[in-house]
Amino acid sequence: MPEHLLLPDPRPVPSRRAGGAGGGAPNRQRGPHGSHLRDQLAVTVRAPRRLDQGVDPALVFKIKARSRPEDSAFEGRGLQVLGETVDYTYFVLAEDQGTQLDAAIQRYVRTGELRSFFNLIDDFEPYGPEDRMGPGLEDLVGGYDGVRTLDVTIWPSGSFDQAQARTRTVEGVLARSDGRLLLRSVTARRTYLRVAVSADGLADLLNTSVVEIVRTPPVPFLDFREWRDIGPVDLSHTRRESVVVGVLDDSPESGHPLLDGLILSDDSLAPDGYQWQQRGSHGTEVVGRVLYPDLHNELRDLSPLTAVGAVRVVRILEPDPNRDAGAPRFATYAPPHELVSAGIRHLHERFGVRIFNLSVGYAEPYNDLHLGALTEAIDDLIRELDIVVVVPSGNAGIDLHARTPSGHHIVDDKPEYFFTADHRLSEPGPAALAVTVGSLALSEAPAEMPNRIGWQAAAATDEASPFTRTGPGLGTALKRTNKPDMTHYGGNTVVNDSGGAVHNDPGASLITTSTRLGDGRLFAAVNGTSFASPAVARVAADIAHAYPDASANLIRALLATSAAPPGPAASITEHHRRARVYGLGRPDGDRALNSGATRVTMTYDGALPVDTVQIHPIPIPEIFRRGSGGSRAITIALAFDPPVRRQRREYLAAAMKVDVYRNIDPDQLVDMLQKQDPDDPTDLINDSRRLDLQPGSNSFTNSTLHMRRWTRTRTFIDDEETFYLVVTHKAQTWARNEPSYQEQAYALAVTLEDQNLVQADLRQILTQQVRVPARLRVRA
C-alpha cells in the first residue's frame, strides 16, 4: 500500500527571542479624579470581611477588569494570580489580608498614581462561600443530618511546602468540626482532599480562603442502559493486526464470544483488601467499539466480523451501589487523577502501550477557572511519555421531556443548545494535548416496531448527537476553535409520539458488545460520547501500527489531515461555532494511512528551539500547479505538545502557528523573518505571496492541533516549484528561561490533493523530489 512521503529538511531561522509579557492592554490616560471606582474600591478593600474565622490571614479577591493587565501589576500589589476567566475576571490571593492592595488603592485615590492598573478595574469583591460551591452542593448548603463525603480542591501553590501548609489549614478546619480526612493528595500544583464532614464543617470549608472549590465526588457521565434484542448473528470473525490500545474503564467481560483472546490483560491496581463492586457493562461496551470498528456495516451485510488489534485494560471504574441502573463511579481508593495516572503509567511502562482510550468524564460542564487535576494530569502524561490519549467531550443530560439542561428541546431548538454553557465540555475533555471527541448520529431511523407512530430521531445521519458536549476548550480568545478536536459516531436520541425521550432505541443507537450473556444477548444498543472516542482511538492505533516510529504529535497530525466535517456541519455558517460542535470532523483510517495518485501527504516529525522560526520547503509539482480543471487543496496540520500549568494565566506554555509563502527567495524570507518583532502579530508579508490559509491563525491561539487549508481552482503555473512553510514558536512569559523547556517537539502533515487529476500520478512525481522515509515500514 502507498506510504506518505517525508518533507525536505527544514531550515532554522536565527530569530530574536520573544520578549515582554505580551497581551497587556495599553494604559488609559485618565486623571486622578476620572475613575468611578475609587470610593467603591477603598471601601471594599480597606476593611475586608475575614472569611476564614482566624484560620489563616489570606484573602482571595475577585477582580473584574475591562482588559488584560500585566502580570507585574498584580505582583506589585502583593497579589498572587490564582486564575483568570475569558471575561477578564481575575482571582488573586492576598497573603496579608489585602494590606498592600489597600495601600495601593489609597495612593491611587489621593494622587492618581498606578492608573495604568486601576483604570482597568471595574469591580473588586471577596471570593466568598458561594464561589467555592461546586457541583452537588446546591442541595447541601441548607443543612443535612450526619456527614457527607465531599472533595476539596486547594488553590495551586508556589511550592510543596506551601501546599502542605494550606493542607494543614484545611485539616485544622476538619478537626474543629469533627470531620474526617478520607483521601489526601498533595502537590504544589494539585492538592485534593476527600473529606467526610457535617453541615457545620461544610460551612467552615466554604469560608476557608485556601479552598478553591468544594464539590460532591465527581462521577463519570453515563448513558442510559435499556437493553434491546438485536437478534442472532453469524459469529464467524477474522482478525486484523494493529497496535494494542490501552483502555481505562470498568472491567470488560473477557469471556464474551467476540472478545475472547482479544483482551490481553485486565489489571487492577487497587490496594490489597479493596472490595470492588460487581463488574458493570460500560467496559465491555467500550472495548467492543475499539475492537470492532466496522461492526454496524458487517452486521447489516451479514458478513464475517473483523476484530482489529487487541486491548489491555486497567480497571478504574465500578458500578455505584447508591445510584440507579448500575451507573459507574471512579474507584474510591484514590482520586480520579491518580487512578488515571497510575493506569496509564502501568500499561506504558510494563507493556509499551502508546495509544489510550479513556471513556470517562465528569457529569457537569468544566469550569475554566477551576480546571481539575484530572485534565492537567492527562496533559502532563501525554508530554512526558509521548503517548496519544483519546477522551470524550462528555454527555449533556436530556430529560424525559426531550429537553436539555438549558431548557431547549432537542429537535425544535437545534443547534442553539449546543452553544449554551450547560452544553460545554466536561472534564477531562478540555485536556489540551489529548484528542477530544464529540458524537455524531450514525442512524436517523427509530426501530420499526408496532405502535411506534410518529417517533423521530433527534439528529439526522451525520449530524451532531443531541447529547454531545461542545467547545470551546481552555483559553481566552473569543473565537477559539480548540475543542472538540474531532467527532465520530456515538449514537442518537429518539423522541416518541408523546414527546418523551427514548435514550437507547435499537434503531437509532450504536450497537456494541454486551455483558448480558445469560439470555443470549451478545450486543447492546448504547449512546454517548463514550462510544465515539474509542472509534478515534482505533484510527490512532492503526496509524501507530503503520508508522511505528511516529511520535504522538505526528499521529495527531495525521488524524487531523484525514478528518472531514460531515455534511450537516455546513448548516452552521460561522466557522468557530461549527468547529465547537464538529471539531475538524470525522477521521478516516484510509486517508490517515495512505497516499495515492491524487492525494499525497508529506510529513515532518522533529523539534525546534523555543522562541524561534523554522522554514520547511514544500515541493509543488507543475502538474499540481497547472491543475486538472477542478479544485485543488493544500492542507497543513500542525501538532505540538507544550508544557501546561493549571495555576498559570495561560494554561499552555507556548503557542505555535504556520504560514505558507510562494514566489519568494528563501534568503529574502529568512531576512524578513529575522526582522519580525516577536511580540508584533502583524505579518510583514500580506500580499499574494502569503497563502490565504483558512481558517485564520487566530482560531488556533489556544490549540495544540491546527489544520488549515488553501484551495485553488485557477492555474498557478507561473509560481515557483517550491513553497515555504514557516513554523513559528512563541513561549508564554512564565515558560521563558525555564531550564526544562528549551526545545519544542512538533509534527507536520502537508497534503496536496487534486481529485480530478487523472493524467498523472501525483505521488510518483513527488517521490522524485522528496525521499521516502526509511523509518516507515513498507507495507504489502
Side-chain angles (χ1 to χ4, degrees):
M1 295 179 67
E3 295 179 358
H4 301 318
L5 308 179
L6 196 65
L7 278 171
D9 290 335
R11 175 176 177 176
V13 177
S15 178
R16 287 184 299 167
R17 216 175 157 79
N27 295 340
R28 288 178 170 83
Q29 300 300 320
R30 299 172 65 182
H33 303 289
S35 173
H36 64 285
L37 283 173
R38 289 185 187 172
D39 293 338
Q40 177 187 340
L41 295 179
V43 172
T44 302
V45 182
R46 184 180 298 136
R49 185 167 65 92
R50 193 175 180 113
L51 298 179
D52 47 17
Q53 304 175 10
V55 172
D56 70 38
L59 277 178
V60 178
F61 292 100
K62 294 184 294 184
I63 298 178
K64 173 72 174 177
R66 295 192 190 99
S67 59
R68 206 173 199 231
E70 301 282 356
D71 286 332
S72 59
F74 293 108
E75 296 164 359
R77 318 291 171 248
L79 304 175
Q80 175 190 344
V81 177
L82 297 172
E84 172 190 3
T85 66
V86 68
D87 61 353
Y88 302 115
T89 298
Y90 298 91
F91 297 80
V92 296
L93 178 68
E95 297 282 4
D96 59 358
Q97 282 268 305
T99 301
Q100 289 189 60
L101 176 61
D102 185 53
I105 290 175
Q106 299 312 310
R107 285 177 57 199
Y108 172 60
V109 171
R110 291 194 312 269
T111 68
E113 295 181 46
L114 312 175
R115 67 171 61 91
S116 62
F117 174 64
F118 287 113
N119 281 357
L120 299 179
I121 305 305
D122 280 335
D123 194 18
F124 271 89
E125 61 179 283
Y127 183 87
E130 66 282 358
D131 299 300
R132 296 185 176 90
M133 287 178 51
L137 260 64
E138 298 86 352
D139 299 329
L140 301 182
V141 293
Y144 54 86
D145 296 328
V147 298
R148 295 294 180 93
T149 299
L150 301 172
D151 286 352
V152 179
T153 300
I154 292 175
W155 287 105
S157 303
S159 65
F160 178 73
D161 289 343
Q162 188 179 52
Q164 289 275 47
R166 293 179 180 177
T167 302
R168 288 192 293 271
T169 295
V170 175
E171 290 172 340
V173 172
L174 294 175
R176 289 200 307 277
S177 60
D178 295 325
R180 290 184 296 121
L181 183 63
L182 304 180
L183 288 176
R184 186 178 191 270
S185 176
V186 181
T187 66
R189 292 166 56 190
R190 295 186 281 267
T191 299
Y192 172 104
L193 309 176
R194 180 162 291 169
V195 302
V197 293
S198 64
D200 289 340
L202 171 58
D204 289 341
L205 289 172
L206 293 175
N207 280 296
T208 302
S209 66
V210 299
V211 171
E212 177 182 359
I213 194 167
V214 182
R215 59 162 296 158
T216 54
V219 296
F221 49 75
L222 177 71
D223 305 297
F224 292 90
R225 295 292 179 265
E226 297 177 8
W227 308 105
R228 296 290 187 269
D229 291 325
I230 301 301
V233 298
D234 185 355
L235 288 182
S236 66
H237 59 280
T238 60
R239 292 282 304 273
R240 176 163 66 81
E241 292 298 320
S242 188
V243 302
V244 171
V245 175
V247 176
L248 273 61
D249 212 287
D250 199 354
S251 181
E253 178 54 71
S254 59
H256 191 290
L258 294 177
L259 304 182
D260 185 27
L262 302 179
I263 303 171
L264 303 184
S265 59
D266 183 4
D267 298 330
S268 164
L269 306 182
D272 294 340
Y274 183 77
Q275 296 297 313
W276 284 99
Q277 298 292 318
Q278 185 175 358
R279 174 171 46 211
S281 60
H282 194 264
T284 303
E285 295 157 4
V286 167
V287 162
R289 286 287 286 152
V290 175
L291 294 173
Y292 290 92
D294 204 30
L295 178 64
H296 295 84
N297 288 330
E298 291 166 344
L299 286 174
R300 184 183 60 185
D301 297 338
L302 299 178
S303 58
L305 307 184
T306 302
V308 184
V311 298
R312 292 189 182 274
V313 179
V314 170
R315 189 181 192 190
I316 65 169
L317 301 182
E318 61 182 353
D320 188 338
N322 298 316
R323 299 177 65 204
D324 295 335
R329 70 181 183 189
F330 288 99
T332 60
Y333 66 84
H337 71 277
E338 291 189 356
L339 294 172
V340 169
S341 296
I344 288 177
R345 289 190 183 280
H346 170 76
L347 294 178
H348 181 73
E349 293 169 5
R350 183 172 181 184
F351 301 111
V353 175
R354 295 188 63 225
I355 311 297
F356 291 86
N357 181 78
L358 275 63
S359 287
V360 300
Y362 297 167
E364 67 281 339
Y366 88 96
N367 184 314
D368 54 359
L369 169 66
H370 302 297
L371 184 70
L374 176 58
T375 297
E376 186 185 35
I378 288 172
D379 278 334
D380 282 345
L381 286 166
I382 291 170
R383 175 175 168 81
E384 176 191 348
L385 304 178
D386 189 30
I387 57 176
V388 176
V389 177
V390 185
V391 299
S393 66
N395 298 337
I398 297 172
D399 68 18
L400 295 178
H401 303 289
R403 292 195 173 274
T404 70
S406 58
H408 291 86
H409 191 273
I410 60 174
V411 176
D412 299 337
D413 298 328
K414 290 185 298 183
E416 285 78 9
Y417 55 80
F418 288 125
F419 308 110
T420 64
D422 294 304
H423 243 78
R424 286 189 75 183
L425 301 166
S426 64
E427 295 198 58
L433 277 58
V435 179
T436 303
V437 183
S439 175
L440 301 174
L442 176 65
S443 170
E444 60 186 14
E448 294 184 0
M449 295 184 180
N451 302 318
R452 284 193 168 190
I453 308 287
W455 289 36
Q456 76 176 114
T461 298
D462 285 334
E463 193 173 30
S465 307
F467 49 76
T468 189
R469 289 193 177 276
T470 56
L474 293 165
T476 56
L478 293 178
K479 293 188 176 182
R480 62 191 184 277
T481 60
N482 51 347
K483 290 292 173 178
D485 298 285
M486 297 173 192
T487 47
H488 214 292
Y489 296 121
N492 205 344
T493 305
V494 168
V495 180
N496 63 24
D497 56 347
S498 300
V502 179
H503 295 280
N504 290 89
D505 177 89
S509 304
L510 286 178
I511 309 303
T512 186
T513 49
S514 167
T515 58
R516 296 183 62 184
L517 302 179
D519 55 6
R521 291 189 174 107
L522 300 180
F523 300 103
V526 298
N527 286 298
T529 54
S530 284
F531 310 108
S533 66
V536 175
R538 170 78 276 139
V539 180
D542 291 346
I543 296 172
H545 178 69
Y547 305 113
D549 294 331
S551 69
N553 285 329
L554 182 54
I555 293 171
R556 286 198 295 146
L558 288 172
L559 275 173
T561 58
S562 79
S571 65
I572 304 176
T573 56
E574 292 182 273
H575 175 265
H576 70 284
R577 287 165 62 88
R578 182 168 64 248
R580 289 175 184 182
V581 178
Y582 293 96
L584 300 174
R586 183 170 65 89
D588 178 88
D590 184 67
R591 286 168 60 88
L593 295 177
N594 303 311
S595 293
T598 60
R599 182 180 181 275
V600 177
T601 296
M602 298 170 281
T603 66
Y604 172 80
D605 203 352
L608 81 170
V610 300
D611 286 326
T612 60
V613 178
Q614 200 144 268
I615 301 175
H616 295 264
I618 306 176
I620 308 294
E622 180 183 348
I623 190 67
F624 185 82
R625 287 181 281 125
R626 185 182 302 278
S628 58
S631 178
R632 290 148 292 161
I634 300 176
T635 303
I636 298 163
L638 165 72
F640 66 110
D641 56 354
V644 299
R645 292 292 185 273
R646 188 172 73 93
Q647 73 270 35
R648 295 290 183 172
R649 296 175 69 188
E650 296 90 0
Y651 180 67
L652 298 177
M656 293 185 72
K657 69 172 186 174
V658 293
D659 288 294
V660 177
Y661 299 91
R662 62 178 184 174
N663 293 337
I664 190 170
D665 179 80
D667 292 328
Q668 179 189 7
L669 181 58
V670 169
D671 184 60
M672 296 183 72
L673 292 171
Q674 284 182 292
K675 294 177 180 177
Q676 174 74 43
D677 181 352
D679 290 319
D680 183 358
T682 304
D683 293 289
L684 294 180
I685 302 176
N686 274 315
D687 54 30
S688 62
R689 291 176 297 174
R690 179 169 171 264
L691 268 60
D692 183 22
L693 297 174
Q694 294 297 321
S697 59
N698 289 340
S699 299
F700 301 102
T701 300
N702 304 109
S703 177
T704 68
L705 182 62
H706 305 193
M707 189 172 75
R708 305 180 68 196
R709 179 175 286 114
W710 181 66
T711 57
R712 183 84 174 190
T713 302
R714 293 179 300 169
T715 181
F716 50 105
I717 189 63
D718 294 333
D719 282 14
E720 296 180 4
E721 65 180 10
T722 301
F723 287 10
Y724 296 98
L725 190 160
V726 175
V727 178
T728 303
H729 178 278
K730 182 180 178 182
Q732 300 291 356
T733 303
W734 67 264
R736 291 177 184 164
N737 302 315
E738 173 66 37
S740 63
Y741 188 44
Q742 299 297 311
E743 185 177 73
Q744 176 61 64
Y746 71 100
L748 293 167
V750 179
T751 299
L752 308 186
E753 184 170 13
D754 184 349
Q755 290 298 329
N756 296 298
L757 187 63
V758 294
Q759 297 178 344
D761 187 319
L762 189 57
R763 184 183 185 277
Q764 185 177 29
I765 294 170
L766 275 169
T767 302
Q768 301 172 11
Q769 296 177 256
V770 298
R771 63 186 184 279
V772 177
R775 61 176 174 80
L776 301 185
R777 184 176 62 213
V778 176
R779 303 171 64 210

